Amino acid sequence: MYFEISETPIDIIERRTRMVQYHAGGYVSFEGWIRDHNHGKEVRSLEYQAYPALAGTEAEKILQEAKDQFAIDDCDVVHRVGHLDVGEIAVWVGVTAAHRGAAFDACEYIIDELKIRVPIWKNEHYLNGKSGWVECHECKKKAIEKGLIHE
Amino acid sequence: MYFEISETPIDIIERRTRMVQYHAGGYVSFEGWIRDHNHGKEVRSLEYQAYPALAGTEAEKILQEAKDQFAIDDCDVVHRVGHLDVGEIAVWVGVTAAHRGAAFDACEYIIDELKIRVPIWKNEHYLNGKSGWVECHECKKKAIEKGLIHE
Amino acid sequence: MTYQLLYFAMFQDWAGKNEEQFSSAAATPAALYEELCKKYSINYPQRQLRVAVNDQFANWEQPLNDGDRIAFIPPVAGG
Amino acid sequence: MTYQLLYFAMFQDWAGKNEEQFSSAAATPAALYEELCKKYSINYPQRQLRVAVNDQFANWEQPLNDGDRIAFIPPVAGG
């Protein structure tokens, strides 16, 4: 069970292989990829920035919650920071479990919570030369629902 | 969108890479691994057997249902047949979507339906030298619920 | 009529083969299955099986044609 | 008291730096944020931020100590 912030491309196969266990029957993974557009604007590349110390403790809390709530064997997360091009992997979540239902639920829980609670931000660079820190409106709404911030 | 029956190990990275699209933001995958035990018996290896013609049409139906029901970009499935050792990948499901919720839902739908409807069977070889065709009781129960077979 | 029977999973063990040409007066999958159960001493209940005719899931009471390819499908266990 | 302020995302643009040592009479994160808003002409509402003290999420009204490391956390956008 680990959270890692990576300044270099995430090696999915290496991460996945580390999780192979002979008593686990199912592996569910999520990858967030950099899309070529966001809210109608054409994206060229972006920067992810993290507050590493706080991101680490908050992400580890989320992983522990997933382990407590779902019957899983293991769960890991890696998030990229720095400059990423379209098509690169921003985040990877891997979960193993004896039974697949728990693995799906835990994987979705982890990425959902990460997007609301873990201090990482993105600055999108658009094809038109402009750039800007992205406000994830869905994340903001959910943070308000959770009482983390207010309307 | 494809279903494939493979007599050789499934190359996850190659399968995944084929799905990379610059407008998809999320990739969810499921892998079913051969466990070292099943219902309390120690498993050494197993054989998967398919009815290829029927498995193909049924799996393609399931993939089309997933595309119709969830806002996904693409979905693929590969199932191994033949002799597999503990730790090998029996099945891989990959789904891409603009938004992750649909990808999780579709991936779980596909593997759930596959396990109920697609004519593939497994013969488990146990450490004690015995072997036997496995009846998946959960799958059978769900097939009964769906009216495909009867109590 | 002569049917091509395909055997999978435990049906291979019971019939001792993967397929065979089978001559029968049975005109439906249900009647054919009953005949097969007698021949090979199979006591798996028909209601827990599905049947495929010419590589498509089929109805137990649908009329069969000479040369049809038929498979009895025990509960699946893929994944 | 002197605080170590860490700036992330748009706060880096507003403050024009990643961090600074900041001397202030403010005794809570809320008071400190008000002071900072004036200094850098920030008009982002405090209620839409979280605050971290010494790398832990903290309360806006908790008393600060000399040397504390403080970060204002705008809505996150990872993943």
Side-chain angles (χ1 to χ4, degrees):
Chain A
M1 201 179 88
Y2 65 79
F3 169 75
E4 216 178 287
I5 290 173
S6 174
E7 296 181 6
T8 53
I10 303 170
D11 182 341
I12 299 300
I13 269 301
E14 191 263 332
R15 299 294 175 167
R16 174 196 165 283
T17 304
R18 274 201 229 174
M19 299 195 87
V20 175
Q21 286 167 344
Y22 291 168
H23 57 278
Y27 165 77
V28 172
S29 78
F30 171 78
E31 296 175 26
W33 295 344
I34 307 303
R35 284 191 290 176
D36 58 9
H37 65 282
N38 196 9
H39 291 109
K41 287 189 233 172
E42 289 180 285
V43 174
R44 181 165 47 84
S45 65
L46 53 73
E47 306 277 324
Y48 274 103
Q49 184 182 72
Y51 177 176
L54 186 57
T57 50
E58 193 66 11
E60 275 154 26
K61 246 185 238 173
I62 293 169
L63 291 171
Q64 190 57 55
E65 289 163 13
K67 271 209 113 170
D68 293 345
Q69 285 173 48
F70 307 103
I72 60 174
D73 283 341
D74 200 5
C75 50
D76 298 328
V77 177
V78 185
H79 203 297
R80 261 303 280 291
V81 289
H83 181 94
L84 279 85
D85 288 314
V86 167
E88 284 203 85
I89 303 164
V91 62
W92 166 84
V93 183
V95 179
T96 56
H99 299 286
R100 68 189 183 282
F104 276 107
D105 290 346
C107 192
E108 196 165 8
Y109 178 82
I110 291 165
I111 184 64
D112 283 354
E113 293 292 312
L114 181 141
K115 286 179 81 90
I116 301 169
R117 291 163 52 186
V118 175
I120 296 173
W121 300 272
K122 68 175 159 193
N123 197 342
E124 286 184 343
H125 306 291
Y126 306 109
L127 275 192
N128 65 13
K130 292 187 179 167
S131 69
W133 292 99
V134 173
E135 293 214 37
C136 169
H137 294 286
E138 197 206 350
C139 313
K140 196 169 169 178
K141 209 181 112 204
K142 287 187 180 157
I144 291 168
E145 282 167 16
K146 276 180 172 274
L148 302 177
I149 56 172
H150 305 279
E151 197 99 36
Chain B
M1 201 178 88
Y2 65 81
F3 170 75
E4 216 177 288
I5 290 173
S6 174
E7 295 181 7
T8 53
I10 304 171
D11 182 341
I12 299 300
I13 270 300
E14 192 263 330
R15 300 293 175 168
R16 174 198 165 282
T17 303
R18 276 201 229 174
M19 299 195 85
V20 175
Q21 286 167 343
Y22 291 168
H23 58 278
Y27 165 78
V28 171
S29 77
F30 171 78
E31 295 174 26
W33 295 344
I34 307 304
R35 283 190 291 176
D36 58 9
H37 64 281
N38 195 11
H39 291 110
K41 288 189 231 171
E42 289 180 284
V43 175
R44 182 165 47 82
S45 65
L46 51 73
E47 305 278 323
Y48 274 103
Q49 183 181 74
Y51 178 176
L54 186 57
T57 50
E58 193 66 10
E60 275 154 27
K61 247 185 237 174
I62 293 170
L63 291 172
Q64 190 58 54
E65 289 164 11
K67 272 208 113 172
D68 292 345
Q69 286 173 49
F70 307 103
I72 60 175
D73 283 341
D74 201 6
C75 50
D76 298 329
V77 176
V78 185
H79 203 296
R80 260 306 278 290
V81 290
H83 181 94
L84 278 85
D85 288 314
V86 167
E88 283 202 86
I89 303 164
V91 61
W92 166 84
V93 183
V95 179
T96 55
H99 300 286
R100 68 188 183 283
F104 276 108
D105 291 346
C107 192
E108 196 165 8
Y109 178 82
I110 291 165
I111 184 66
D112 284 355
E113 293 293 311
L114 181 142
K115 286 179 81 91
I116 301 168
R117 293 162 50 186
V118 175
I120 297 174
W121 300 273
K122 68 176 159 193
N123 196 341
E124 286 184 344
H125 306 292
Y126 305 110
L127 275 191
N128 65 13
K130 293 189 179 165
S131 68
W133 291 100
V134 174
E135 293 214 37
C136 168
H137 294 286
E138 196 207 349
C139 312
K140 196 168 168 179
K141 210 181 111 204
K142 287 187 179 155
I144 291 169
E145 282 167 17
K146 278 181 171 274
L148 301 177
I149 57 172
H150 305 279
E151 198 101 35
Chain C
M1 290 189 284
T2 301
Y3 303 116
Q4 183 192 6
L5 302 188
L6 306 179
Y7 297 117
F8 296 103
M10 42 274 221
F11 278 91
Q12 292 186 348
D13 299 340
W14 295 332
K17 58 193 90 163
N18 297 348
E19 58 175 290
E20 68 178 315
Q21 297 297 318
F22 192 83
S23 293
S24 167
T28 63
L32 184 62
Y33 186 64
E34 211 187 316
E35 197 178 325
L36 221 63
C37 285
K38 278 184 200 135
K39 178 168 178 195
Y40 292 118
S41 306
I42 295 167
N43 60 10
Y44 201 94
Q46 183 215 292
R47 65 182 185 281
Q48 290 186 11
L49 298 174
R50 302 178 78 183
V51 64
V53 176
N54 299 328
D55 305 332
Q56 309 249 28
F57 283 117
N59 195 294
W60 286 100
E61 299 304 333
Q62 81 177 48
L64 293 175
N65 296 308
D66 189 47
D68 277 350
R69 185 168 50 256
I70 295 151
F72 300 104
I73 311 288
V76 304
Chain D
M1 291 189 284
T2 300
Y3 304 117
Q4 183 192 6
L5 302 189
L6 305 179
Y7 297 117
F8 296 102
M10 44 274 221
F11 278 92
Q12 292 185 347
D13 298 340
W14 295 333
K17 59 193 87 164
N18 297 348
E19 59 174 289
E20 68 178 315
Q21 298 297 317
F22 191 82
S23 294
S24 167
T28 65
L32 184 62
Y33 185 64
E34 209 186 319
E35 198 179 323
L36 221 64
C37 286
K38 277 183 199 136
K39 179 170 174 192
Y40 292 119
S41 306
I42 295 167
N43 59 10
Y44 201 94
Q46 182 214 291
R47 67 183 183 280
Q48 291 188 9
L49 298 173
R50 301 178 78 182
V51 65
V53 176
N54 299 327
D55 304 333
Q56 309 249 27
F57 284 116
N59 195 293
W60 285 100
E61 299 305 332
Q62 82 178 49
L64 293 173
N65 297 307
D66 190 47
D68 277 350
R69 184 169 47 260
I70 296 152
F72 301 104
I73 311 287
V76 305

